[in-house]
Amino acid sequence: SVVSHELKTPLTAIKGFAQLLNKQADKAGLPPPMRHALALIDEQTNRMVDLVNELLDVSRIQIDQLRLVRSRVDAVALARRVVEQMGSISDFHELRLEAPDEEVAGLWDGPRLERVLANLLENAIRYQPQGGTVNLTLARDGGRLHVEVRDHGVGIEPHAIPRLFERFYRASGPLNHQVAGLGLGLYIAAEVVRKHGGELKVSSKPGEGSRFWFDLPLEA
């Protein structure tokens, strides 16, 4: 936890100056390769910030100090934003959102719920290397919001499913050595969903893809 906090200071400075340079790129007449380099610095800094936040959340979960900052959140708008952000990860995948036209609101921790969706979509993309469609579905189910991410990738071996939400656990498989990760994303996502009053679940078959879903209570 202490190390994670210390890492945030230089990362904040790097990100701030990268964004400043990006804003000045047009005025300075920087060539495309330099602009691309600046964009990569900003992108990779964001990735490092996410990793630091994951480590901080792990330390909080371990001592049962993960606290949600709740506010009124429209899940449909949040999902659209995540799909738009994640759409740039791969040119070979189509992220398809199925959601109500009207807002679906609840008292949730928006940034953490956003990271849950981003993690599930990123995993779906990673483990569907052949490309294709990844579906994110939002639907009202009585007084709850149903959220589901489905891919058509390599799937998960049955023996790995019971351990999938454990800290640092990574399922073995043909893609495991090719896909980077600490085995923390699903562990944190499951805890965040639990703190919101839901349960993250999974069903999968090797070669047929995976389905992750959870339900959250809606705004009273």
Side-chain angles (χ1 to χ4, degrees), residues 54-91:
E54 282 189 353
L55 292 172
L56 280 170
D57 277 349
V58 167
S59 68
R60 293 175 182 130
I61 291 170
Q62 285 182 281
I63 59 174
D64 196 26
Q65 292 295 319
L66 184 67
R67 298 288 183 260
L68 301 182
V69 180
R70 294 177 183 265
S71 62
R72 188 178 186 277
V73 176
D74 175 14
V76 176
L78 184 147
R80 287 174 180 156
R81 184 167 63 249
V82 173
V83 167
E84 182 179 356
Q85 293 169 351
M86 301 298 294
S88 62
I89 288 182
S90 171
D91 296 329

PDB file of all heavy atoms in Angstrom, residues 54-91:
ATOM      1  N   GLU A  54      -5.051  -0.982  -8.783  1.00  0.00           N
ATOM      2  CA  GLU A  54      -5.377  -2.381  -8.493  1.00  0.00           C
ATOM      3  C   GLU A  54      -4.639  -2.852  -7.246  1.00  0.00           C
ATOM      4  O   GLU A  54      -5.227  -3.508  -6.377  1.00  0.00           O
ATOM      5  CB  GLU A  54      -5.010  -3.271  -9.678  1.00  0.00           C
ATOM      6  CG  GLU A  54      -6.001  -3.226 -10.823  1.00  0.00           C
ATOM      7  CD  GLU A  54      -5.723  -4.275 -11.877  1.00  0.00           C
ATOM      8  OE1 GLU A  54      -4.669  -4.957 -11.783  1.00  0.00           O
ATOM      9  OE2 GLU A  54      -6.541  -4.427 -12.800  1.00  0.00           O
ATOM     10  N   LEU A  55      -3.344  -2.531  -7.152  1.00  0.00           N
ATOM     11  CA  LEU A  55      -2.567  -2.943  -5.979  1.00  0.00           C
ATOM     12  C   LEU A  55      -3.110  -2.302  -4.704  1.00  0.00           C
ATOM     13  O   LEU A  55      -3.166  -2.938  -3.646  1.00  0.00           O
ATOM     14  CB  LEU A  55      -1.095  -2.587  -6.177  1.00  0.00           C
ATOM     15  CG  LEU A  55      -0.369  -3.379  -7.259  1.00  0.00           C
ATOM     16  CD1 LEU A  55       1.019  -2.804  -7.505  1.00  0.00           C
ATOM     17  CD2 LEU A  55      -0.267  -4.848  -6.884  1.00  0.00           C
ATOM     18  N   LEU A  56      -3.506  -1.039  -4.804  1.00  0.00           N
ATOM     19  CA  LEU A  56      -4.089  -0.368  -3.642  1.00  0.00           C
ATOM     20  C   LEU A  56      -5.396  -1.040  -3.229  1.00  0.00           C
ATOM     21  O   LEU A  56      -5.652  -1.240  -2.035  1.00  0.00           O
ATOM     22  CB  LEU A  56      -4.338   1.109  -3.951  1.00  0.00           C
ATOM     23  CG  LEU A  56      -3.124   2.038  -3.869  1.00  0.00           C
ATOM     24  CD1 LEU A  56      -3.465   3.404  -4.443  1.00  0.00           C
ATOM     25  CD2 LEU A  56      -2.652   2.172  -2.433  1.00  0.00           C
ATOM     26  N   ASP A  57      -6.219  -1.381  -4.207  1.00  0.00           N
ATOM     27  CA  ASP A  57      -7.481  -2.045  -3.889  1.00  0.00           C
ATOM     28  C   ASP A  57      -7.246  -3.414  -3.267  1.00  0.00           C
ATOM     29  O   ASP A  57      -7.976  -3.831  -2.360  1.00  0.00           O
ATOM     30  CB  ASP A  57      -8.349  -2.179  -5.144  1.00  0.00           C
ATOM     31  CG  ASP A  57      -9.148  -0.919  -5.439  1.00  0.00           C
ATOM     32  OD1 ASP A  57      -9.183  -0.029  -4.564  1.00  0.00           O
ATOM     33  OD2 ASP A  57      -9.736  -0.820  -6.526  1.00  0.00           O
ATOM     34  N   VAL A  58      -6.233  -4.130  -3.742  1.00  0.00           N
ATOM     35  CA  VAL A  58      -5.909  -5.441  -3.153  1.00  0.00           C
ATOM     36  C   VAL A  58      -5.561  -5.280  -1.681  1.00  0.00           C
ATOM     37  O   VAL A  58      -6.018  -6.047  -0.824  1.00  0.00           O
ATOM     38  CB  VAL A  58      -4.751  -6.116  -3.913  1.00  0.00           C
ATOM     39  CG1 VAL A  58      -4.204  -7.303  -3.124  1.00  0.00           C
ATOM     40  CG2 VAL A  58      -5.223  -6.593  -5.277  1.00  0.00           C
ATOM     41  N   SER A  59      -4.725  -4.273  -1.361  1.00  0.00           N
ATOM     42  CA  SER A  59      -4.346  -4.068   0.040  1.00  0.00           C
ATOM     43  C   SER A  59      -5.566  -3.702   0.878  1.00  0.00           C
ATOM     44  O   SER A  59      -5.697  -4.139   2.031  1.00  0.00           O
ATOM     45  CB  SER A  59      -3.276  -2.981   0.146  1.00  0.00           C
ATOM     46  OG  SER A  59      -3.791  -1.713  -0.199  1.00  0.00           O
ATOM     47  N   ARG A  60      -6.488  -2.927   0.305  1.00  0.00           N
ATOM     48  CA  ARG A  60      -7.700  -2.553   1.047  1.00  0.00           C
ATOM     49  C   ARG A  60      -8.618  -3.753   1.252  1.00  0.00           C
ATOM     50  O   ARG A  60      -9.208  -3.911   2.321  1.00  0.00           O
ATOM     51  CB  ARG A  60      -8.445  -1.454   0.285  1.00  0.00           C
ATOM     52  CG  ARG A  60      -7.707  -0.125   0.233  1.00  0.00           C
ATOM     53  CD  ARG A  60      -8.442   0.872  -0.642  1.00  0.00           C
ATOM     54  NE  ARG A  60      -7.726   2.134  -0.740  1.00  0.00           N
ATOM     55  CZ  ARG A  60      -7.455   2.755  -1.885  1.00  0.00           C
ATOM     56  NH1 ARG A  60      -7.854   2.225  -3.034  1.00  0.00           N
ATOM     57  NH2 ARG A  60      -6.808   3.901  -1.897  1.00  0.00           N
ATOM     58  N   ILE A  61      -8.730  -4.594   0.238  1.00  0.00           N
ATOM     59  CA  ILE A  61      -9.576  -5.781   0.355  1.00  0.00           C
ATOM     60  C   ILE A  61      -9.037  -6.712   1.430  1.00  0.00           C
ATOM     61  O   ILE A  61      -9.804  -7.278   2.226  1.00  0.00           O
ATOM     62  CB  ILE A  61      -9.667  -6.508  -1.003  1.00  0.00           C
ATOM     63  CG1 ILE A  61     -10.465  -5.672  -2.010  1.00  0.00           C
ATOM     64  CG2 ILE A  61     -10.324  -7.882  -0.848  1.00  0.00           C
ATOM     65  CD1 ILE A  61     -10.404  -6.190  -3.431  1.00  0.00           C
ATOM     66  N   GLN A  62      -7.711  -6.860   1.464  1.00  0.00           N
ATOM     67  CA  GLN A  62      -7.104  -7.788   2.420  1.00  0.00           C
ATOM     68  C   GLN A  62      -7.400  -7.407   3.861  1.00  0.00           C
ATOM     69  O   GLN A  62      -7.495  -8.276   4.725  1.00  0.00           O
ATOM     70  CB  GLN A  62      -5.587  -7.847   2.202  1.00  0.00           C
ATOM     71  CG  GLN A  62      -5.177  -8.634   0.969  1.00  0.00           C
ATOM     72  CD  GLN A  62      -3.675  -8.693   0.828  1.00  0.00           C
ATOM     73  OE1 GLN A  62      -3.034  -7.745   0.380  1.00  0.00           O
ATOM     74  NE2 GLN A  62      -3.100  -9.807   1.213  1.00  0.00           N
ATOM     75  N   ILE A  63      -7.519  -6.114   4.138  1.00  0.00           N
ATOM     76  CA  ILE A  63      -7.807  -5.686   5.511  1.00  0.00           C
ATOM     77  C   ILE A  63      -9.251  -5.211   5.648  1.00  0.00           C
ATOM     78  O   ILE A  63      -9.597  -4.522   6.607  1.00  0.00           O
ATOM     79  CB  ILE A  63      -6.837  -4.577   5.962  1.00  0.00           C
ATOM     80  CG1 ILE A  63      -6.927  -3.361   5.042  1.00  0.00           C
ATOM     81  CG2 ILE A  63      -5.417  -5.097   6.022  1.00  0.00           C
ATOM     82  CD1 ILE A  63      -6.098  -2.164   5.515  1.00  0.00           C
ATOM     83  N   ASP A  64     -10.085  -5.569   4.654  1.00  0.00           N
ATOM     84  CA  ASP A  64     -11.503  -5.235   4.660  1.00  0.00           C
ATOM     85  C   ASP A  64     -11.723  -3.728   4.797  1.00  0.00           C
ATOM     86  O   ASP A  64     -12.575  -3.277   5.576  1.00  0.00           O
ATOM     87  CB  ASP A  64     -12.229  -5.979   5.791  1.00  0.00           C
ATOM     88  CG  ASP A  64     -13.745  -5.968   5.588  1.00  0.00           C
ATOM     89  OD1 ASP A  64     -14.191  -5.861   4.426  1.00  0.00           O
ATOM     90  OD2 ASP A  64     -14.477  -6.068   6.595  1.00  0.00           O
ATOM     91  N   GLN A  65     -10.928  -2.956   4.043  1.00  0.00           N
ATOM     92  CA  GLN A  65     -11.044  -1.503   4.081  1.00  0.00           C
ATOM     93  C   GLN A  65     -11.417  -0.911   2.726  1.00  0.00           C
ATOM     94  O   GLN A  65     -11.225   0.279   2.496  1.00  0.00           O
ATOM     95  CB  GLN A  65      -9.714  -0.890   4.555  1.00  0.00           C
ATOM     96  CG  GLN A  65      -9.376  -1.175   6.005  1.00  0.00           C
ATOM     97  CD  GLN A  65     -10.365  -0.521   6.965  1.00  0.00           C
ATOM     98  OE1 GLN A  65     -10.771   0.615   6.755  1.00  0.00           O
ATOM     99  NE2 GLN A  65     -10.767  -1.226   7.997  1.00  0.00           N
ATOM    100  N   LEU A  66     -11.937  -1.747   1.822  1.00  0.00           N
ATOM    101  CA  LEU A  66     -12.389  -1.226   0.533  1.00  0.00           C
ATOM    102  C   LEU A  66     -13.711  -0.498   0.726  1.00  0.00           C
ATOM    103  O   LEU A  66     -14.723  -1.109   1.068  1.00  0.00           O
ATOM    104  CB  LEU A  66     -12.552  -2.362  -0.481  1.00  0.00           C
ATOM    105  CG  LEU A  66     -12.930  -1.929  -1.909  1.00  0.00           C
ATOM    106  CD1 LEU A  66     -11.780  -1.156  -2.548  1.00  0.00           C
ATOM    107  CD2 LEU A  66     -13.284  -3.137  -2.764  1.00  0.00           C
ATOM    108  N   ARG A  67     -13.711   0.807   0.519  1.00  0.00           N
ATOM    109  CA  ARG A  67     -14.894   1.620   0.751  1.00  0.00           C
ATOM    110  C   ARG A  67     -15.426   2.155  -0.576  1.00  0.00           C
ATOM    111  O   ARG A  67     -14.674   2.722  -1.372  1.00  0.00           O
ATOM    112  CB  ARG A  67     -14.558   2.792   1.686  1.00  0.00           C
ATOM    113  CG  ARG A  67     -14.095   2.341   3.068  1.00  0.00           C
ATOM    114  CD  ARG A  67     -15.247   1.785   3.888  1.00  0.00           C
ATOM    115  NE  ARG A  67     -14.811   1.417   5.220  1.00  0.00           N
ATOM    116  CZ  ARG A  67     -14.525   0.179   5.605  1.00  0.00           C
ATOM    117  NH1 ARG A  67     -14.623  -0.808   4.712  1.00  0.00           N
ATOM    118  NH2 ARG A  67     -14.132  -0.088   6.828  1.00  0.00           N
ATOM    119  N   LEU A  68     -16.704   2.003  -0.806  1.00  0.00           N
ATOM    120  CA  LEU A  68     -17.323   2.533  -2.005  1.00  0.00           C
ATOM    121  C   LEU A  68     -17.713   3.993  -1.793  1.00  0.00           C
ATOM    122  O   LEU A  68     -18.149   4.374  -0.712  1.00  0.00           O
ATOM    123  CB  LEU A  68     -18.577   1.731  -2.357  1.00  0.00           C
ATOM    124  CG  LEU A  68     -18.394   0.229  -2.602  1.00  0.00           C
ATOM    125  CD1 LEU A  68     -19.739  -0.391  -2.977  1.00  0.00           C
ATOM    126  CD2 LEU A  68     -17.356  -0.041  -3.681  1.00  0.00           C
ATOM    127  N   VAL A  69     -17.534   4.797  -2.835  1.00  0.00           N
ATOM    128  CA  VAL A  69     -17.996   6.182  -2.825  1.00  0.00           C
ATOM    129  C   VAL A  69     -19.208   6.228  -3.744  1.00  0.00           C
ATOM    130  O   VAL A  69     -19.096   6.327  -4.959  1.00  0.00           O
ATOM    131  CB  VAL A  69     -16.903   7.141  -3.319  1.00  0.00           C
ATOM    132  CG1 VAL A  69     -17.413   8.585  -3.293  1.00  0.00           C
ATOM    133  CG2 VAL A  69     -15.642   6.998  -2.481  1.00  0.00           C
ATOM    134  N   ARG A  70     -20.379   6.147  -3.142  1.00  0.00           N
ATOM    135  CA  ARG A  70     -21.610   5.996  -3.922  1.00  0.00           C
ATOM    136  C   ARG A  70     -22.181   7.351  -4.344  1.00  0.00           C
ATOM    137  O   ARG A  70     -22.129   8.321  -3.595  1.00  0.00           O
ATOM    138  CB  ARG A  70     -22.665   5.230  -3.119  1.00  0.00           C
ATOM    139  CG  ARG A  70     -22.301   3.774  -2.828  1.00  0.00           C
ATOM    140  CD  ARG A  70     -23.381   3.130  -1.980  1.00  0.00           C
ATOM    141  NE  ARG A  70     -23.068   1.749  -1.611  1.00  0.00           N
ATOM    142  CZ  ARG A  70     -23.487   0.690  -2.289  1.00  0.00           C
ATOM    143  NH1 ARG A  70     -24.237   0.851  -3.372  1.00  0.00           N
ATOM    144  NH2 ARG A  70     -23.172  -0.529  -1.887  1.00  0.00           N
ATOM    145  N   SER A  71     -22.729   7.359  -5.534  1.00  0.00           N
ATOM    146  CA  SER A  71     -23.490   8.501  -6.037  1.00  0.00           C
ATOM    147  C   SER A  71     -24.470   7.959  -7.072  1.00  0.00           C
ATOM    148  O   SER A  71     -24.406   6.781  -7.450  1.00  0.00           O
ATOM    149  CB  SER A  71     -22.569   9.550  -6.664  1.00  0.00           C
ATOM    150  OG  SER A  71     -21.874   9.009  -7.771  1.00  0.00           O
ATOM    151  N   ARG A  72     -25.376   8.796  -7.517  1.00  0.00           N
ATOM    152  CA  ARG A  72     -26.334   8.342  -8.517  1.00  0.00           C
ATOM    153  C   ARG A  72     -25.626   8.167  -9.856  1.00  0.00           C
ATOM    154  O   ARG A  72     -25.043   9.119 -10.385  1.00  0.00           O
ATOM    155  CB  ARG A  72     -27.485   9.333  -8.644  1.00  0.00           C
ATOM    156  CG  ARG A  72     -28.626   8.839  -9.515  1.00  0.00           C
ATOM    157  CD  ARG A  72     -29.753   9.856  -9.541  1.00  0.00           C
ATOM    158  NE  ARG A  72     -30.921   9.330 -10.267  1.00  0.00           N
ATOM    159  CZ  ARG A  72     -31.055   9.369 -11.581  1.00  0.00           C
ATOM    160  NH1 ARG A  72     -30.101   9.919 -12.318  1.00  0.00           N
ATOM    161  NH2 ARG A  72     -32.127   8.866 -12.169  1.00  0.00           N
ATOM    162  N   VAL A  73     -25.657   6.953 -10.395  1.00  0.00           N
ATOM    163  CA  VAL A  73     -24.944   6.623 -11.635  1.00  0.00           C
ATOM    164  C   VAL A  73     -25.924   6.023 -12.636  1.00  0.00           C
ATOM    165  O   VAL A  73     -26.714   5.136 -12.292  1.00  0.00           O
ATOM    166  CB  VAL A  73     -23.806   5.612 -11.360  1.00  0.00           C
ATOM    167  CG1 VAL A  73     -23.131   5.198 -12.665  1.00  0.00           C
ATOM    168  CG2 VAL A  73     -22.792   6.204 -10.396  1.00  0.00           C
ATOM    169  N   ASP A  74     -25.885   6.514 -13.866  1.00  0.00           N
ATOM    170  CA  ASP A  74     -26.654   5.925 -14.959  1.00  0.00           C
ATOM    171  C   ASP A  74     -25.800   4.833 -15.597  1.00  0.00           C
ATOM    172  O   ASP A  74     -24.791   5.123 -16.252  1.00  0.00           O
ATOM    173  CB  ASP A  74     -27.023   6.994 -15.989  1.00  0.00           C
ATOM    174  CG  ASP A  74     -27.729   6.409 -17.210  1.00  0.00           C
ATOM    175  OD1 ASP A  74     -28.175   5.251 -17.156  1.00  0.00           O
ATOM    176  OD2 ASP A  74     -27.821   7.127 -18.231  1.00  0.00           O
ATOM    177  N   ALA A  75     -26.182   3.580 -15.418  1.00  0.00           N
ATOM    178  CA  ALA A  75     -25.396   2.454 -15.907  1.00  0.00           C
ATOM    179  C   ALA A  75     -25.306   2.428 -17.425  1.00  0.00           C
ATOM    180  O   ALA A  75     -24.294   1.987 -17.986  1.00  0.00           O
ATOM    181  CB  ALA A  75     -25.993   1.145 -15.399  1.00  0.00           C
ATOM    182  N   VAL A  76     -26.342   2.898 -18.106  1.00  0.00           N
ATOM    183  CA  VAL A  76     -26.340   2.884 -19.573  1.00  0.00           C
ATOM    184  C   VAL A  76     -25.283   3.849 -20.100  1.00  0.00           C
ATOM    185  O   VAL A  76     -24.481   3.503 -20.984  1.00  0.00           O
ATOM    186  CB  VAL A  76     -27.729   3.237 -20.133  1.00  0.00           C
ATOM    187  CG1 VAL A  76     -27.684   3.311 -21.666  1.00  0.00           C
ATOM    188  CG2 VAL A  76     -28.759   2.207 -19.680  1.00  0.00           C
ATOM    189  N   ALA A  77     -25.255   5.066 -19.563  1.00  0.00           N
ATOM    190  CA  ALA A  77     -24.252   6.050 -19.983  1.00  0.00           C
ATOM    191  C   ALA A  77     -22.853   5.563 -19.640  1.00  0.00           C
ATOM    192  O   ALA A  77     -21.912   5.730 -20.433  1.00  0.00           O
ATOM    193  CB  ALA A  77     -24.528   7.398 -19.313  1.00  0.00           C
ATOM    194  N   LEU A  78     -22.696   4.950 -18.466  1.00  0.00           N
ATOM    195  CA  LEU A  78     -21.394   4.424 -18.064  1.00  0.00           C
ATOM    196  C   LEU A  78     -20.932   3.328 -19.021  1.00  0.00           C
ATOM    197  O   LEU A  78     -19.773   3.308 -19.455  1.00  0.00           O
ATOM    198  CB  LEU A  78     -21.480   3.890 -16.629  1.00  0.00           C
ATOM    199  CG  LEU A  78     -20.180   3.388 -15.986  1.00  0.00           C
ATOM    200  CD1 LEU A  78     -20.204   3.660 -14.485  1.00  0.00           C
ATOM    201  CD2 LEU A  78     -19.992   1.893 -16.211  1.00  0.00           C
ATOM    202  N   ALA A  79     -21.847   2.423 -19.382  1.00  0.00           N
ATOM    203  CA  ALA A  79     -21.497   1.322 -20.282  1.00  0.00           C
ATOM    204  C   ALA A  79     -21.109   1.845 -21.658  1.00  0.00           C
ATOM    205  O   ALA A  79     -20.166   1.352 -22.290  1.00  0.00           O
ATOM    206  CB  ALA A  79     -22.661   0.345 -20.387  1.00  0.00           C
ATOM    207  N   ARG A  80     -21.839   2.844 -22.154  1.00  0.00           N
ATOM    208  CA  ARG A  80     -21.506   3.425 -23.458  1.00  0.00           C
ATOM    209  C   ARG A  80     -20.104   4.027 -23.439  1.00  0.00           C
ATOM    210  O   ARG A  80     -19.337   3.893 -24.399  1.00  0.00           O
ATOM    211  CB  ARG A  80     -22.538   4.486 -23.835  1.00  0.00           C
ATOM    212  CG  ARG A  80     -23.892   3.910 -24.252  1.00  0.00           C
ATOM    213  CD  ARG A  80     -24.902   5.007 -24.477  1.00  0.00           C
ATOM    214  NE  ARG A  80     -26.205   4.466 -24.877  1.00  0.00           N
ATOM    215  CZ  ARG A  80     -27.346   5.092 -24.713  1.00  0.00           C
ATOM    216  NH1 ARG A  80     -27.376   6.299 -24.145  1.00  0.00           N
ATOM    217  NH2 ARG A  80     -28.476   4.527 -25.109  1.00  0.00           N
ATOM    218  N   ARG A  81     -19.776   4.689 -22.346  1.00  0.00           N
ATOM    219  CA  ARG A  81     -18.449   5.305 -22.217  1.00  0.00           C
ATOM    220  C   ARG A  81     -17.351   4.232 -22.207  1.00  0.00           C
ATOM    221  O   ARG A  81     -16.321   4.381 -22.878  1.00  0.00           O
ATOM    222  CB  ARG A  81     -18.392   6.144 -20.943  1.00  0.00           C
ATOM    223  CG  ARG A  81     -17.087   6.910 -20.767  1.00  0.00           C
ATOM    224  CD  ARG A  81     -17.211   7.954 -19.681  1.00  0.00           C
ATOM    225  NE  ARG A  81     -17.469   7.382 -18.363  1.00  0.00           N
ATOM    226  CZ  ARG A  81     -18.619   7.520 -17.708  1.00  0.00           C
ATOM    227  NH1 ARG A  81     -19.633   8.169 -18.250  1.00  0.00           N
ATOM    228  NH2 ARG A  81     -18.783   6.996 -16.511  1.00  0.00           N
ATOM    229  N   VAL A  82     -17.571   3.154 -21.483  1.00  0.00           N
ATOM    230  CA  VAL A  82     -16.575   2.083 -21.417  1.00  0.00           C
ATOM    231  C   VAL A  82     -16.391   1.427 -22.779  1.00  0.00           C
ATOM    232  O   VAL A  82     -15.260   1.167 -23.212  1.00  0.00           O
ATOM    233  CB  VAL A  82     -16.979   1.022 -20.365  1.00  0.00           C
ATOM    234  CG1 VAL A  82     -16.030  -0.173 -20.420  1.00  0.00           C
ATOM    235  CG2 VAL A  82     -16.972   1.630 -18.967  1.00  0.00           C
ATOM    236  N   VAL A  83     -17.491   1.161 -23.466  1.00  0.00           N
ATOM    237  CA  VAL A  83     -17.407   0.532 -24.794  1.00  0.00           C
ATOM    238  C   VAL A  83     -16.643   1.430 -25.759  1.00  0.00           C
ATOM    239  O   VAL A  83     -15.809   0.956 -26.554  1.00  0.00           O
ATOM    240  CB  VAL A  83     -18.819   0.226 -25.329  1.00  0.00           C
ATOM    241  CG1 VAL A  83     -18.768  -0.122 -26.821  1.00  0.00           C
ATOM    242  CG2 VAL A  83     -19.434  -0.922 -24.552  1.00  0.00           C
ATOM    243  N   GLU A  84     -16.891   2.733 -25.682  1.00  0.00           N
ATOM    244  CA  GLU A  84     -16.181   3.671 -26.551  1.00  0.00           C
ATOM    245  C   GLU A  84     -14.681   3.662 -26.249  1.00  0.00           C
ATOM    246  O   GLU A  84     -13.842   3.657 -27.160  1.00  0.00           O
ATOM    247  CB  GLU A  84     -16.739   5.081 -26.373  1.00  0.00           C
ATOM    248  CG  GLU A  84     -16.091   6.116 -27.277  1.00  0.00           C
ATOM    249  CD  GLU A  84     -16.690   7.500 -27.098  1.00  0.00           C
ATOM    250  OE1 GLU A  84     -17.660   7.637 -26.327  1.00  0.00           O
ATOM    251  OE2 GLU A  84     -16.184   8.445 -27.732  1.00  0.00           O
ATOM    252  N   GLN A  85     -14.338   3.653 -24.968  1.00  0.00           N
ATOM    253  CA  GLN A  85     -12.930   3.649 -24.576  1.00  0.00           C
ATOM    254  C   GLN A  85     -12.234   2.351 -24.959  1.00  0.00           C
ATOM    255  O   GLN A  85     -11.097   2.359 -25.435  1.00  0.00           O
ATOM    256  CB  GLN A  85     -12.811   3.889 -23.064  1.00  0.00           C
ATOM    257  CG  GLN A  85     -13.245   5.273 -22.620  1.00  0.00           C
ATOM    258  CD  GLN A  85     -13.372   5.387 -21.116  1.00  0.00           C
ATOM    259  OE1 GLN A  85     -13.293   4.394 -20.378  1.00  0.00           O
ATOM    260  NE2 GLN A  85     -13.569   6.598 -20.627  1.00  0.00           N
ATOM    261  N   MET A  86     -12.916   1.227 -24.756  1.00  0.00           N
ATOM    262  CA  MET A  86     -12.305  -0.070 -25.013  1.00  0.00           C
ATOM    263  C   MET A  86     -12.278  -0.424 -26.494  1.00  0.00           C
ATOM    264  O   MET A  86     -11.553  -1.325 -26.908  1.00  0.00           O
ATOM    265  CB  MET A  86     -13.064  -1.161 -24.243  1.00  0.00           C
ATOM    266  CG  MET A  86     -13.096  -0.978 -22.744  1.00  0.00           C
ATOM    267  SD  MET A  86     -11.452  -1.022 -22.000  1.00  0.00           S
ATOM    268  CE  MET A  86     -10.982  -2.719 -22.319  1.00  0.00           C
ATOM    269  N   GLY A  87     -13.072   0.288 -27.292  1.00  0.00           N
ATOM    270  CA  GLY A  87     -13.144  -0.017 -28.715  1.00  0.00           C
ATOM    271  C   GLY A  87     -11.841   0.168 -29.448  1.00  0.00           C
ATOM    272  O   GLY A  87     -11.636  -0.398 -30.533  1.00  0.00           O
ATOM    273  N   SER A  88     -10.921   0.962 -28.869  1.00  0.00           N
ATOM    274  CA  SER A  88      -9.641   1.221 -29.527  1.00  0.00           C
ATOM    275  C   SER A  88      -8.599   0.146 -29.249  1.00  0.00           C
ATOM    276  O   SER A  88      -7.503   0.185 -29.821  1.00  0.00           O
ATOM    277  CB  SER A  88      -9.095   2.585 -29.072  1.00  0.00           C
ATOM    278  OG  SER A  88      -8.864   2.581 -27.664  1.00  0.00           O
ATOM    279  N   ILE A  89      -8.919  -0.820 -28.402  1.00  0.00           N
ATOM    280  CA  ILE A  89      -7.935  -1.840 -28.042  1.00  0.00           C
ATOM    281  C   ILE A  89      -7.596  -2.738 -29.221  1.00  0.00           C
ATOM    282  O   ILE A  89      -6.446  -3.131 -29.415  1.00  0.00           O
ATOM    283  CB  ILE A  89      -8.446  -2.688 -26.851  1.00  0.00           C
ATOM    284  CG1 ILE A  89      -8.400  -1.860 -25.570  1.00  0.00           C
ATOM    285  CG2 ILE A  89      -7.614  -3.955 -26.675  1.00  0.00           C
ATOM    286  CD1 ILE A  89      -8.823  -2.623 -24.356  1.00  0.00           C
ATOM    287  N   SER A  90      -8.588  -3.086 -30.011  1.00  0.00           N
ATOM    288  CA  SER A  90      -8.375  -4.037 -31.095  1.00  0.00           C
ATOM    289  C   SER A  90      -9.156  -3.637 -32.340  1.00  0.00           C
ATOM    290  O   SER A  90     -10.302  -3.202 -32.256  1.00  0.00           O
ATOM    291  CB  SER A  90      -8.793  -5.443 -30.651  1.00  0.00           C
ATOM    292  OG  SER A  90      -8.784  -6.344 -31.747  1.00  0.00           O
ATOM    293  N   ASP A  91      -8.510  -3.810 -33.502  1.00  0.00           N
ATOM    294  CA  ASP A  91      -9.185  -3.571 -34.770  1.00  0.00           C
ATOM    295  C   ASP A  91      -9.948  -4.795 -35.250  1.00  0.00           C
ATOM    296  O   ASP A  91     -10.653  -4.738 -36.252  1.00  0.00           O
ATOM    297  CB  ASP A  91      -8.155  -3.175 -35.846  1.00  0.00           C
ATOM    298  CG  ASP A  91      -7.469  -1.854 -35.534  1.00  0.00           C
ATOM    299  OD1 ASP A  91      -8.119  -0.988 -34.909  1.00  0.00           O
ATOM    300  OD2 ASP A  91      -6.293  -1.698 -35.906  1.00  0.00           O
TER     301      ASP A  91
END
